[in-house]
Amino acid sequence: MSDNRVWTLRAYPEGLDFPSAIFLDRQAMPVPAEGQVTIAADWLSLDAGTRMWMTPRTDSYQPPIPLGSAVPGQVLGRVLESRAPGFAPGDLVRAFGQWADVSCVDPLTSGLTKLDATVTDPRLHLGPLGMNGWTALVGIEEMARTQPGETVLVSAAAGATGMLAAQIARVLGARVIGIAGGPTKCAFLIDELGLDAAIDHRDPDVEAAIARAAPDGINVYFENVGGPLLDAVLSNMAHYGRIAICGLMANYAQAQPGPQRFDQILARRLQVTGFFSPDFAHRGPELTARLRGWTDAGKLVTPFDETAGLENVLSAYARLFTGANIGKVVVRVS
């Protein structure tokens, strides 16, 4: 490999027009400095939350990506060269690197982690055994404090984090309703994941559909979307319900206005908690151990929406926002 293909952010995208803002460049192959590691990517994890980084907004949990920089993202692959203790060429690792053939990372700041190579499908380290799984578990169990017998509603339930949150809620003994887009996804939630009910967010009256599915109210809402959907849920929450917010896919590019039904938070005595995976990344081994047990037992199912070729990253990334995917979106680099 004589040079390194790298996706570079040259402008902040308008809407879903990623090809006008992000370009595939060729650069010299990176050489690790003392304390650094280079990783040859096998897969890239594509995650909707990175869309917020592709804006000039400074009020997010992550600073905006500087224009002219490589687009960051999670990488799964093998160590090429290591000048950092604890990592050797050939190690299977995961880190926050770049959308590139080869990423050069600092182990501490990138979260570089040596992975269990005995996992049958390495991609699981980017889904249930990685940040999607951690977010789902912490959100359902700790932020929302889900109890057996409660009714849990999950938005974007056919996406990587949502489907894990829904399945974990079932493992914990809850009645689970998923929201997704279209009859195919709704059928998947019931037939493949075993959810108790599914609601199509394209229904002309989602608020009424939620009321029919949960006549006694929603105890826990795992929020991935925001926007008008949140309003439809607020009026259906049970008293003393909990809302755990880990995503706002309705519009990451701009600040979202507050919900019109904000008064229901007071009227129904709701607790609303926002959280991000960096808050508990240090607990990765502990969380992964629990998720591995459920995964191996067949209690957590994650299909992969895989696109081949680094050159096709932008079309794969757009699938997150058009609703084309079911499950975890990844790109097979090599």
Side-chain angles (χ1 to χ4, degrees):
M1 195 181 297
S2 58
D3 54 12
N4 190 30
R5 296 177 299 165
V6 182
W7 284 99
T8 303
L9 184 70
R10 296 188 190 169
Y12 294 121
E14 295 289 337
L16 301 184
D17 186 13
F18 302 122
S20 295
I22 307 171
F23 294 84
L24 188 59
D25 295 330
R26 290 184 177 271
Q27 301 176 1
M29 191 60 62
V31 177
E34 187 65 32
Q36 293 183 329
V37 173
T38 52
I39 306 166
D42 291 324
W43 285 278
L44 301 180
S45 171
L46 300 187
D47 302 285
T50 57
R51 180 63 182 89
M52 191 181 295
W53 310 347
M54 299 179 188
T55 74
R57 293 181 61 179
T58 58
D59 60 348
S60 175
Y61 71 101
Q62 179 84 7
I65 303 169
L67 295 181
S69 299
V71 178
Q74 276 208 306
V75 175
L76 175 66
R78 299 280 177 176
V79 171
L80 273 181
E81 186 177 353
S82 175
R83 299 188 65 189
F87 299 95
D91 285 346
L92 180 67
V93 294
R94 179 186 60 217
F96 271 98
Q98 297 83 41
W99 289 1
D101 288 310
V102 175
S103 293
C104 187
V105 302
D106 173 273
L108 183 60
T109 59
S110 70
L112 182 64
T113 303
K114 191 183 300 185
L115 301 173
D116 183 352
T118 68
V119 172
T120 53
D121 185 345
R123 298 175 301 177
L124 292 170
H125 291 297
L126 295 177
L129 306 185
M131 285 194 169
N132 295 120
W134 302 348
T135 301
L137 176 53
V138 170
I140 286 292
E141 187 173 64
E142 299 179 19
M143 302 299 167
R145 305 188 306 283
T146 301
Q147 301 299 312
E150 291 189 318
T151 296
V152 174
L153 179 67
V154 180
S155 60
T161 300
M163 69 170 52
L164 291 169
Q167 292 174 87
I168 290 169
R170 286 191 71 244
V171 170
L172 297 180
R175 176 175 182 265
V176 184
I177 304 166
I179 302 177
T184 299
K185 289 187 177 182
C186 288
F188 169 82
L189 296 181
I190 294 175
D191 298 340
E192 301 298 326
L193 301 189
L195 302 196
D196 297 283
I199 295 170
D200 189 342
H201 70 71
R202 299 169 185 168
D203 188 299
D205 194 343
V206 175
E207 185 172 344
I210 297 172
R212 288 192 297 272
D216 295 325
I218 302 296
N219 304 110
V220 168
Y221 178 42
F222 190 95
E223 172 66 297
N224 289 298
V225 178
L229 183 59
L230 178 56
D231 279 311
V233 174
L234 283 174
S235 61
N236 281 292
M237 291 295 296
H239 280 64
Y240 307 102
R242 288 87 65 198
I243 299 175
I245 302 178
C246 78
L248 296 170
M249 288 185 65
N251 192 347
Y252 272 123
Q254 299 174 336
Q256 291 199 25
Q260 295 181 358
R261 304 301 303 276
F262 183 82
D263 61 331
Q264 294 302 297
I265 296 174
L266 173 61
R268 297 169 188 268
R269 290 77 150 180
L270 306 180
Q271 295 185 19
V272 182
T273 305
F275 68 105
F276 281 113
S277 56
D279 299 341
F280 41 83
H282 63 285
R283 295 173 55 196
E286 162 213 339
L287 299 170
T288 299
R290 294 184 65 196
L291 293 159
R292 175 78 185 270
W294 289 333
T295 300
D296 289 348
K299 295 181 179 180
L300 297 183
V301 175
T302 301
F304 290 91
D305 186 294
E306 181 173 298
T307 297
L310 181 67
E311 66 277 9
N312 296 315
V313 159
L314 297 189
S315 60
Y317 190 58
R319 293 175 65 81
L320 290 163
F321 304 98
T322 60
N325 68 297
I326 292 181
K328 177 68 182 177
V329 177
V330 296
V331 170
R332 175 74 191 217
V333 178
S334 59

